[in-house]
């Protein structure tokens, strides 16, 4: 019977998985996370911290929320620190504004805030004898034969721990997946999406400039088909989001002072420019550029002792906002299989791969291709969306919903 579970990565997937396993009662869990504890980061420094708090708003729909709902009290704690957005406002040149409403409001929450709530409830519900979360501690090596992992704390010497089950919940650049590729014949392809991004943290209000953006709408601005911004209101009148650009052409690269950065936004994204403090302009200048890696694996397990889950197993492009939803759904499916097979990991792990791999591959293709990149095709996309929604409304038996609506509004596999 498996008792000691080592989870690498305290992201949304790793921490939600710990909730699911601990409520079954049979397990002792150690989670190792290379970043610092997000609960110790005050929200003010979250905004200006340059490198340690790479975070962004995540939208969660039914696919991810049904997994959270299984843990008593979690969904309401998350909802209390989220903003429900009712659509998107797309800004254009010369002040042109287009509204894209949504059928159902979408829950949006900052990634680090989501992890903080998951961690808080985990450590309040279970004792340190059942679960320990070790921050600033990076997994550097795996020995699948001896069933050990090597960990390197930020301070001090590396050490080794034994596992009965090892879970790679360590995101798109998973060390555990790398071990399986090199040593266990896992077939995996990885590629970067063409875009790169930087996180941006603004205030939603600037009373002196008379700017107040709507509190329950996502705010999007396409400068051209190479540079765009997506900003999401968050509690406390914050506006968190990203500037997205082609990886080879970082528009902020040549800007050497905070004044230059602010001037860039005032010229190109005037509304967001008016909401940017000089403090944020300086932090943004120094914040590293992030790239998104997508991952396609032929299975998500090895024998009865190693599991890949969430982004470590199937990272996708964020273009349709489903990576985290599907990562959380992994945990729900795993929980159902544990129930079905009475915690027999020898049966649960292959069944998990069998059930999840086709879904993961489909999601990767949808994320890569559903939203067009070229300007003309974007126009065509919105035309198709409008027509399809209308026809589905008029003739629901004959015309299926638009693919976006199926992905975003349902939990259809
Ligand atoms: C800009 C952007 C916007 C997004 N928007 C959405 C959205 O709207 N909706 C949605 O559903 N998804 C969205 N996503 C995707 C979502 O962020 C991911 O799918 C989700 O975070 C996956 O969670 P995870 O726990 O599997 O991985 P991660 O969140 O990547 O967490 C993995 C954790 O493992 C840790 N780690 C990594 N390596 C090691 C190691 N060797 N040792 C110890 N710890 C390690 C990392 O520090 C990290 O904390 C977005 C992604 C991006 C980049």
């Amino acid at each position: 019977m498996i008792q000691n579970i080592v989870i690498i990565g305290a992201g949304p997937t790793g921490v939600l998985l710990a909730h699911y396993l601990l409520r079954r009662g049979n397990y002792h869990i150690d989670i190792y996370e290379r970043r610092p504890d997000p609960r110790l980061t005050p929200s003010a420094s979250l905004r200006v911290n340059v490198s340690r708090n790479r975070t962004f708003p995540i939208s969660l729909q039914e696919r991810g929320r049904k997994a959270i709902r299984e843990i008593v009290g979690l969904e309401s704690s998350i909802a209390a620190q989220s903003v429900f957005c009712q659509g998107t406002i797309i800004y254009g040149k010369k002040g042109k504004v287009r509204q894209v409403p949504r059928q159902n409001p979408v829950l949006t929450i900052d990634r680090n805030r989501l992890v903080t709530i998951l961690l808080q409830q985990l450590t309040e519900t279970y004792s340190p004898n059942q679960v320990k979360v070790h921050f600033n501690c990076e997994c550097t090596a795996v020995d699948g034969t001896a069933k050990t992992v090597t960990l390197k704390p930020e301070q001090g010497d590396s050490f080794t721990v034994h596992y009965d089950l090892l879970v790679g919940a360590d995101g798109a650049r998973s060390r555990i997946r790398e071990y399986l590729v090199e040593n266990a014949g896992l077939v995996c392809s990885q590629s970067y999406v063409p875009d790169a991004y930087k996180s941006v943290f603004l205030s939603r209000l600037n009373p002196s400039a008379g700017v107040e953006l709507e509190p329950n709408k996502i705010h999007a601005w396409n400068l051209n088909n190479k540079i765009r911004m997506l900003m999401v209101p968050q509690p406390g009148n914050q506006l968190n989001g990203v500037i997205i650009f082609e990886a080879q052409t970082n528009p902020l690269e040549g800007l050497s002072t905070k004044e230059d950065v602010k001037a860039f936004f005032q010229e190109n994204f005037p509304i967001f420019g008016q909401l940017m403090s000089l403090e944020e302009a300086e932090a943004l200048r120094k914040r590293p550029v992030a790239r998104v890696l997508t991952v396609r694996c032929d299975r998500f397990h090895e024998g009865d002792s190693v599991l890949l889950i969430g982004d470590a197993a199937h990272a996708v492009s964020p273009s349709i906002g489903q990576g985290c939803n599907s990562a959380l759904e992994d945990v729900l499916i795993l929980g159902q299989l544990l129930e079905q097979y009475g915690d027999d990991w020898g049966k649960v792990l292959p069944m998990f791969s069998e059930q999840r791999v086709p879904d993961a591959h489909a999601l990767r293709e949808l994320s890569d291709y559903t939203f067009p990149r070229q300007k003309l095709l974007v126009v065509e996309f919105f035309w198709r969306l409008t027509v399809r929604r209308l026809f589905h409304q008029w003739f629901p038996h004959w015309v299926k919903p638009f693919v976006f609506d199926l992905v975003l509004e349902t939990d259809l596999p």
Side-chain angles (χ1 to χ4, degrees):
M1 185 73 170
I2 284 176
Q3 299 230 304
N4 286 320
I5 299 189
V6 169
I7 299 179
I8 305 298
T13 316
V15 186
L16 185 67
L17 177 63
H19 278 278
Y20 269 68
L21 294 174
L22 286 166
R23 71 177 180 163
R24 303 190 66 76
N26 341 343
Y27 302 112
H28 172 86
I29 298 182
D30 283 282
I31 308 180
Y32 294 93
E33 166 58 52
R34 71 172 172 207
R35 294 192 209 175
D37 186 344
R39 291 168 298 180
L40 307 177
T41 309
S43 57
S45 69
L46 184 86
R47 263 182 262 142
V48 293
N49 193 306
V50 178
S51 62
R52 303 194 88 177
N53 289 298
R54 187 179 286 165
T55 188
F56 37 78
I58 285 180
S59 58
L60 291 181
Q61 291 98 1
E62 185 55 18
R63 204 176 292 280
R65 287 177 64 184
K66 70 184 177 188
I68 287 167
R69 206 170 291 141
E70 287 281 306
I71 306 296
V72 177
L74 201 51
E75 194 183 28
S76 55
S77 307
I78 291 170
Q81 295 198 46
S82 304
V83 167
F84 287 82
C85 288
Q86 290 169 344
T88 304
I89 300 181
I90 303 175
Y91 300 86
K93 281 181 196 146
K94 300 175 195 149
K96 215 172 112 191
V97 166
R98 190 172 55 202
Q99 300 264 358
V100 184
R102 288 187 63 91
Q103 266 172 315
N104 301 315
V106 58
L107 182 159
T108 63
I109 184 162
D110 180 87
R111 178 203 175 273
N112 281 3
R113 187 170 280 139
L114 173 65
V115 173
T116 298
I117 299 167
L118 287 165
L119 280 168
Q120 259 159 2
Q121 187 158 332
L122 186 78
T123 49
E124 278 163 19
T125 312
Y126 300 100
S127 75
N129 288 336
Q130 295 166 290
V131 60
K132 286 197 190 76
V133 193
H134 312 258
F135 292 97
N136 300 306
C137 200
E138 179 172 1
C139 171
T140 53
V142 180
D143 182 340
T145 314
K147 291 195 172 176
T148 58
V149 280
T150 305
L151 295 141
K152 172 85 187 80
E154 198 174 55
Q155 281 159 359
D157 295 333
S158 292
F159 61 96
T160 296
V161 293
H162 177 265
Y163 64 81
D164 295 320
L165 176 77
L166 173 64
V167 180
D170 48 345
R173 290 165 183 79
S174 168
R175 183 72 198 81
I176 310 304
R177 188 183 70 239
E178 193 180 297
Y179 163 78
L180 293 180
V181 168
E182 286 167 6
N183 299 280
L186 180 83
V187 179
C188 170
S189 62
Q190 307 180 165
S191 49
Y192 281 106
V193 302
D195 292 327
Y197 72 92
K198 278 192 179 205
S199 298
V200 179
F201 302 93
L202 306 176
S203 167
R204 194 176 58 76
L205 320 167
N206 180 349
S208 58
V211 181
E212 178 171 342
L213 296 193
E214 280 193 54
N216 54 3
K217 297 275 169 64
I218 295 170
H219 300 271
W221 194 311
N222 295 338
L223 186 59
N224 48 46
N225 60 355
K226 296 197 171 118
I227 307 174
R228 60 192 188 280
M229 285 185 76
L230 205 63
M231 300 301 298
V232 183
Q234 288 296 285
N237 289 325
Q238 288 180 23
L239 194 63
N240 299 3
V242 282
I243 175 166
I244 304 165
F245 43 85
E246 279 191 345
Q248 312 85 304
T249 46
N250 172 4
L252 307 177
E253 197 165 65
L255 307 177
S256 52
T257 67
K258 53 191 174 193
E259 288 78 13
D260 289 348
V261 172
K262 191 165 161 66
F264 168 83
F265 282 91
Q266 280 175 323
E267 187 185 333
N268 294 295
F269 302 97
I271 293 179
F272 299 145
Q274 292 185 76
L275 298 169
M276 181 176 285
S277 66
L278 277 175
E279 188 190 26
E280 168 59 12
E282 178 64 1
L284 179 56
R285 194 175 70 76
K286 294 183 180 158
R287 211 168 276 139
V289 172
R291 297 287 314 263
V292 177
L293 191 65
T294 67
V295 171
R296 187 182 203 273
C297 297
D298 67 338
R299 62 193 152 98
F300 298 157
H301 75 287
E302 174 60 18
D304 61 358
S305 61
V306 186
L307 166 70
L308 293 177
I309 195 161
D311 271 16
H314 50 73
V316 295
S317 154
S319 65
I320 57 170
Q322 286 301 299
C324 194
N325 281 284
S326 113
L328 300 178
E329 193 181 43
D330 278 354
V331 179
L332 178 80
I333 305 282
L334 191 81
Q336 289 168 349
L337 291 172
L338 284 169
E339 193 60 34
Q340 190 177 341
Y341 293 104
D343 294 57
D344 180 345
W345 288 91
K347 291 188 178 136
V348 168
L349 293 185
M351 283 312 292
F352 180 74
S353 284
E354 194 177 317
Q355 218 168 311
R356 289 308 273 166
V357 166
D359 254 7
H361 291 179
L363 180 61
R364 187 178 183 218
E365 294 200 9
L366 281 168
S367 301
D368 281 350
Y369 300 118
T370 306
F371 195 76
R373 301 180 59 81
Q374 306 231 329
K375 206 171 175 183
L376 258 180
L377 291 178
V378 172
V379 175
E380 186 269 352
F381 173 86
F382 280 110
W383 183 83
R384 193 153 38 91
L385 178 141
T386 312
V387 170
R388 190 69 172 245
R389 278 184 178 169
L390 268 181
F391 275 71
H392 174 65
Q393 211 175 318
W394 293 337
F395 313 110
H397 297 298
W398 292 331
V399 183
K400 291 203 171 80
F402 189 62
V403 64
F404 246 41
D405 294 334
L406 273 177
V407 174
L408 303 188
E409 307 288 357
T410 75
D411 62 348
L412 189 78

